[in-house]
């Protein structure tokens, strides 16, 4: 691991991994003081480290970083190394190379070979930068907007420590609150406050999606507070407009979980897609649970009413042609005993209600009435139901009607 | 209408619930049939209805297992009612109506409580109502866990409804005709 001293010393060869690169480093030295655009050593493409530098410069960095780099090359070698390390972590397809003397060699290696060298190279810079800049700076997300984010991030690396809140506040003013959350996501990506890229990206995505529903639901709590600057390495990403103290963090997590559950419930309860807002959703949920419970009650009541009459309900025999239940519509059964007919009326009402005919008898009957009726009906004969059915069955004129229902 | 056995997931809640429910119903039928009608009057309709409903809930809860708060609450209720149910089966009708009356009293009490906290806000009121609906919701203080339980409860209730509906239509189709033959 080359020390900071060794890297800052432009003339000393890097002691890290590439002893054969010494001459390249020496060759590269004179280029550093010169603005890259005017570098005359660029004609040879693949083997010239200057080319990698220029390619990196033009492709990766914006004008601002370019200027800064050219103006403060010696001073900014730290940040350059930082920038290179950051870039190395971010850019895996195209070799992002910084102009720092040590890392340029690594960049050249990377250009020809794999990223691992650069990774190894950059980790050295990275480690040093960690000690130099007390800020966890695996901050470059593998973001989609490559050029802009990189250019945006590089100055952040320098100014991030000084006034991150100012930066975020600047961005906040630039982006109105009503803007889409995508813009906010980009802005958030620009402010480096995360510990690990992947985790926070995923968390951000979830957080953003949750934030959408949450903000729609709880407007009164959405007062934008300035994001406080992170103070140590281990910290959770601070979202825009949200405080980062532990209480509000826990509160936010809780709210997100609740919002997630509400979305799940929205999927379960039919017809809830248009309903937004916690109160209305809860209303729908309550109604649905109540209706389900009533349905279960109703069905169990039906099962109870026909239960003792059945020998076996498990036999799956082929239904007979007149397999329908002899419809005990009381209207046709004048000959039947009135109590039995009322009992059958109840059953008929139950059945008819299921078919949507909506007999009014059932809701008006309370349990006591049913009880008394059934008691009298049951008291008459132990096999009352047999009697009922035998009475109804031959004389049923509505068999076909019921059959069609089935 | 000839329902056939469609291939079902043997471990799903639906199949587990169906098995248990059918077993419970068989047991219920045996219990009502074994004492001959002359010895003791067959249980009243409301009683049967309540037992069937209880059996449905209990089989649902048993199928789910004690993993969920609401299933645990139902199982607890069933076990506590088992004592009263034994008394009911011995033929005392009053207990059943007493149970009904007790339920009504509790409902009144709860409505009173509801009015008291009505001014807390719609959200609070609704969560209270949801707690009342979902069995065991009183214990789950956290809104998040309450919503969790509600989601699972809704899923199980819908399976219950589906299977009960299927059972009912099957019974009507086949069982009764068998009886009448």
């Amino acid at each position: 691991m080359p020390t900071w001293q060794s890297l800052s010393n432009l003339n000393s060869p890097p002691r890290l991994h590439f002893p054969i690169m010494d001459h390249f480093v020496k060759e590269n030295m004179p280029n550093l003081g010169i603005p890259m655009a005017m570098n005359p050593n660029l004609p040879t493409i693949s083997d010239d480290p200057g080319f990698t530098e220029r390619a990196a410069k033009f492709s990766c960095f914006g004008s601002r970083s370019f200027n800064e780099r050219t103006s403060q090359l010696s001073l900014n070698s730290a940040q350059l190394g930082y920038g290179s390390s950051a870039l190395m972590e971010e850019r895996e397809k195209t070799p992002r190379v910084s102009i720092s003397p040590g890392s340029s060699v690594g960049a050249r290696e990377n250009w020809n070979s794999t990223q691992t060298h650069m990774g190894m190279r950059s980790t050295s810079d990275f480690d040093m930068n960690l000690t130099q800049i007390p800020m966890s700076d695996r901050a470059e997300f593998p973001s989609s907007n490559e050029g802009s984010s990189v250019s945006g991030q590089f100055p952040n690396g320098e100014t991030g420590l000084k006034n991150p809140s100012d930066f975020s506040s600047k961005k906040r003013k630039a982006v109105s609150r009503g803007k889409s959350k995508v813009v906010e996501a980009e802005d958030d990506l620009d402010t480096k406050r995360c510990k690990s890229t992947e985790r926070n990206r995923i968390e951000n995505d979830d957080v953003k999606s949750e934030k959408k529903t949450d903000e729609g639901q709880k407007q009164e709590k959405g007062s934008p507070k300035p994001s406080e600057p992170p103070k140590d390495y281990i910290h959770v990403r601070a979202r825009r407009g949200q405080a980062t103290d532990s209480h509000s963090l826990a509160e936010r997590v809780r709210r997100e979980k609740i919002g997630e559950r509400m979305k799940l419930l929205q999927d379960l309860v039919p017809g809830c897609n248009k309903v937004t807002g916690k109160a209305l959703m809860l209303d729908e949920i309550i109604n649905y649970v109540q209706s389900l419970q009533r349905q279960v009650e109703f069905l169990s009541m039906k099962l109870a009413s026909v239960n003792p009459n059945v020998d076996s309900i498990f036999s799956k025999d082929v239904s007979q042609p007149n397999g329908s239940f002899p419809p005990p519509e009381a209207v046709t059964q004048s000959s039947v005993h009135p109590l039995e007919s009322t009992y059958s009326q109840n059953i008929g009402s139950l059945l008819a209600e299921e078919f949507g005919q909506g007999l009014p008898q059932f809701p008006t009957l309370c349990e006591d009435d049913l009880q008394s009726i059934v008691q009298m009906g049951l008291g008459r004969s132990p096999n009352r139901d047999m009697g009922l059915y035998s009475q109804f069955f031959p004389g049923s004129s509505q068999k076909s009607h019921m059959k069609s229902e089935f | 209408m000839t329902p056939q056995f469609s291939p079902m997931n043997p471990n799903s809640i639906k199949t587990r619930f169906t098995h248990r429910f059918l077993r419970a119903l068989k047991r219920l039928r045996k219990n009502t049939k074994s004492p001959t009608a002359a010895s003791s009057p067959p249980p009243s309709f409301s009683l049967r209805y309540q037992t069937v409903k209880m059996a449905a809930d209990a089989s649902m809860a048993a199928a789910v297992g004690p993993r969920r708060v609401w299933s645990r609450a139902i199982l607890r209720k069933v076990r506590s009612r088992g004592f009263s149910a034994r008394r009911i089966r011995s033929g005392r009708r009053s207990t059943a109506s007493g149970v009904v009356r007790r339920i009504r009293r509790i409902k009144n009490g709860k409505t009173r409580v509801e009015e008291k906290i009505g001014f807390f806000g719609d959200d609070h009121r609704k969560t209270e109502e949801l707690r009342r609906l979902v069995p065991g919701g009183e214990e789950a203080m956290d809104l998040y866990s309450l919503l969790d339980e509600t989601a699972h409860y809704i899923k199980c209730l819908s399976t219950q409804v589906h299977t009960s509906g299927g059972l009912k239509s099957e019974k009507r189709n086949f069982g009764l005709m068998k009886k009448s033959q």
Side-chain angles (χ1 to χ4, degrees), chain A residues 261 283 293 297 299 302-304 307 309-311 313-314 316-317 320 325 351 367 371 406, chain B residues 1 26 29 46 48-49 53 93 126 133 144 148 151 153 168 170-172 174 176 179 181:
Chain A
R261 281 282 168 262
D283 258 341
Q293 279 177 340
E297 272 187 43
L299 283 171
K302 281 200 200 176
L303 275 177
N307 200 7
N309 315 328
V310 178
D311 265 339
I313 57 174
F314 309 107
K316 306 282 185 244
D317 293 336
Q320 313 198 349
F325 178 65
L351 290 174
E367 286 172 348
Q371 202 170 321
F406 288 121
Chain B
M1 196 161 80
K26 254 203 279 191
R29 235 181 311 116
S46 70
R48 280 211 321 272
Y49 148 66
K53 180 158 163 298
R93 265 180 51 211
K126 292 202 178 58
L133 277 180
Y144 174 73
D148 210 11
Y153 186 57
K168 181 176 57 59
E170 281 170 18
K171 283 173 92 159
R172 221 175 29 251
F174 306 115
L176 297 172
K179 180 81 178 183
Q181 284 164 11

Side-chain angles (χ1 to χ4, degrees), chain A residues 76-125:
Chain A
N76 284 1
S77 50
Q79 284 99 356
L80 289 178
Y82 162 75
S84 77
S85 63
L87 286 172
M88 290 318 120
E89 286 160 21
E90 174 191 6
R91 187 72 44 220
E92 283 172 359
K93 290 164 194 152
T94 68
R96 298 297 186 127
V97 185
S98 76
I99 318 299
S100 74
S103 56
S104 60
V105 176
R108 181 218 174 278
E109 269 300 306
N110 187 31
W111 185 265
N112 292 331
S113 61
T114 65
Q115 275 282 343
T116 55
H117 294 303
M118 180 53 77
M120 285 193 297
R121 179 108 211 139
S122 54
T123 43
S124 65
D125 300 336

Side-chain angles (χ1 to χ4, degrees), chain A residues 10 181 320 374:
Chain A
L10 299 184
K181 300 291 184 281
Q320 313 198 349
V374 166

